[in-house]
Amino acid sequence: MTTKPVPSLQRHAVPPGTASLADHERLARQCLDDNAWAYFSGGAADEITLAANHSAWDRITLQPRVLRALAGGHTRTTLLGRTLAHPILLAPIAFQRMAHPDGELASAYAAAALGAGLVLSTQSSTPVEAVAQAMQGDPASGPLWFQLYLQHDRGFTRELVQRAEAAGCDALVLTVDAPTSGARDRERRAGFRLPAGISAVHLAGLAPPPARLLSPGQSPLFDGLLHHAPTWADVQWLQSVTRLPVLLKGVLHPDDARQAAALGVAGLIVSNHGGRTLDTAPATAHALPRVAQAVQGALPLLVDGGIRRGTDVLKALALGASAVLLGRPAVYGLAHAGAAGVAHVLRLLRDELEIAMALTGCATLERVTPALLDLPALQTFTPRCARGDY
């Protein structure tokens, strides 16, 4: 498989015999130093949620169906009014130039070549304008969304939103599950630090928050940092200053999902931050059907966390998701093979999705329902939304 020729990017080949996302992870470990590996692969605390994200998909079984008409099938779907070639997007991951010199630019070219959407991190090490140019240069490209952390300076945040709009981004993805970082033991053991020359380029020029004088016994977290933590009022403010649809990333609780729907957000991403914030938070495969029941088809749902096979994608769609986001595996492909590695990861996952659809008797995504899942706890789960409604 080849990717769109890009003279400015380093040329790499995916090693022969690379047959799965797990192979890409193994190859990436050989390329990344302990510092980068701790950042990209690690989770919070004992990494219970990190492990559960993957194992939860494994524990859901699929029901094969036979003798169904499958000719002419496809993976197309519609999301936020746009037709996508398949329901796989690249999740926002910071500092990708730490994995490979081409960083987010390589991911963008791979996403464009494979028709995948891309969500660019606020903490990208490549400017949104360059990423947008790479995505928009291919007519088959999926959408470009900009992930946003609300900053303590609203004026700076507004300028960042305007910058994303001007670059041609299709939506904003507000991360709401990280008012503080998790206790990332693996990073602390590795003494994690950003390498020289790599930074969050979108945050250049942001002044530090005003210092708060703490009295003896006060908490630097609750009495300091969390004074700037976003609230539901900030979601409404963000909606008021942008013309772009706003999705919330990091929703796991049904009550939060209902409140978000009541505010008229454009979509929700069921996510536990890849197991990097609150350890022992529920796996996203467990949270997704509860969120789907809560919103009853009022808005599209996406999900990330532990997706490693096309069967996982199919299970997510059967549980009520409109699409999935892929995080670590894309970075693993990037680390050892640049744009070609990311493209290969996306191709593998889409091919596996098509195989899983065929073997469960689903020629199109509209036919994917909870009936595919052999899981008694889900027998009463009947999401109202049909695939492609959004």
Side-chain angles (χ1 to χ4, degrees):
M1 186 196 70
T2 60
T3 59
K4 177 183 175 182
V6 184
S8 62
L9 298 188
Q10 296 186 16
R11 300 297 184 87
H12 301 276
V14 175
T18 306
S20 70
L21 273 57
D23 291 339
H24 281 282
E25 181 174 357
R26 173 180 51 81
L27 292 165
R29 184 63 188 102
Q30 298 169 10
C31 298
L32 295 173
D33 61 22
D34 290 344
N35 184 68
W37 184 253
Y39 181 79
F40 290 122
S41 294
D46 297 311
E47 300 186 345
I48 293 168
T49 297
L50 175 63
N53 273 347
H54 177 61
S55 63
W57 296 114
D58 287 346
R59 287 195 294 270
I60 300 172
T61 56
L62 289 166
Q63 286 280 22
R65 298 302 303 270
V66 299
L67 302 176
R68 300 289 185 94
L70 299 171
H74 59 79
T75 59
R76 289 191 298 275
T77 190
T78 303
L79 185 62
L80 299 188
R82 181 164 176 171
T83 299
L84 308 183
H86 54 79
I88 303 166
L89 295 84
L90 296 183
I93 296 182
F95 307 121
Q96 292 184 29
R97 288 185 56 240
M98 189 164 59
H100 187 278
D102 294 333
E104 293 84 358
L105 196 58
S107 295
Y109 278 114
L114 272 294
L118 183 147
V119 187
L120 185 69
S121 173
T122 287
Q123 297 182 118
S124 168
S125 49
T126 304
V128 62
E129 293 82 4
V131 172
Q133 184 176 17
M135 295 285 290
Q136 294 159 1
D138 193 321
S141 173
L144 174 62
W145 298 352
F146 188 81
Q147 178 267 340
L148 188 67
Y149 288 108
L150 287 180
Q151 305 301 318
H152 60 274
D153 183 336
R154 276 196 171 182
F156 188 94
T157 299
R158 186 195 295 260
E159 291 176 1
L160 191 55
V161 168
Q162 292 170 343
R163 185 174 173 184
E165 291 178 348
C169 292
D170 300 287
L172 299 177
V173 175
L174 177 64
T175 293
V176 295
D177 63 349
T180 182
S181 296
R184 299 178 187 170
D185 293 354
R186 202 191 305 196
E187 288 184 27
R188 292 187 290 192
R189 293 187 186 109
F192 173 74
R193 74 283 177 198
L194 281 176
I198 296 176
S199 65
V201 296
H202 298 125
L203 300 182
L206 175 64
R212 298 183 65 87
L213 296 177
L214 300 180
S215 302
Q218 285 190 299
S219 163
L221 182 62
F222 285 104
D223 300 307
L225 174 67
L226 293 182
H227 276 267
H228 305 290
T231 67
W232 290 106
D234 292 299
V235 175
Q236 293 177 290
W237 172 81
L238 179 61
Q239 291 173 304
S240 74
V241 300
T242 183
R243 57 178 174 78
L244 297 178
V246 175
L247 298 90
L248 302 188
K249 180 178 183 291
V251 174
L252 296 172
H253 198 286
D255 288 347
D256 290 337
R258 293 186 190 97
Q259 188 161 356
L263 288 180
V265 300
L268 299 178
I269 299 174
V270 177
S271 172
N272 53 37
H273 219 94
R276 292 166 63 82
T277 51
L278 177 63
D279 200 22
T280 72
T284 51
H286 293 160
L288 174 58
R290 302 185 185 111
V291 172
Q293 284 182 313
V295 300
Q296 288 291 297
L299 70 176
L301 302 179
L302 296 88
V303 66
D304 65 15
I307 303 285
R308 295 296 183 271
R309 288 285 185 181
T311 48
D312 299 337
V313 179
L314 186 64
K315 293 169 188 179
L317 301 179
L319 289 172
S322 298
V324 304
L325 292 98
L326 190 67
R328 290 179 175 90
V331 171
Y332 297 150
L334 173 68
H336 77 89
V342 181
H344 192 255
V345 165
L346 288 167
R347 184 73 254 181
L348 284 173
L349 205 61
R350 180 178 177 181
D351 287 349
E352 290 182 2
L353 172 60
E354 292 185 356
I355 292 168
M357 289 170 62
L359 294 176
T360 54
C362 298
T364 65
L365 298 183
E366 284 78 8
R367 299 185 186 181
V368 177
T369 73
L372 296 182
L373 306 177
D374 187 12
L375 193 60
L378 296 176
Q379 287 178 354
T380 59
F381 171 58
T382 53
R384 287 169 46 191
C385 59
R387 200 72 51 212
D389 282 354
Y390 301 104

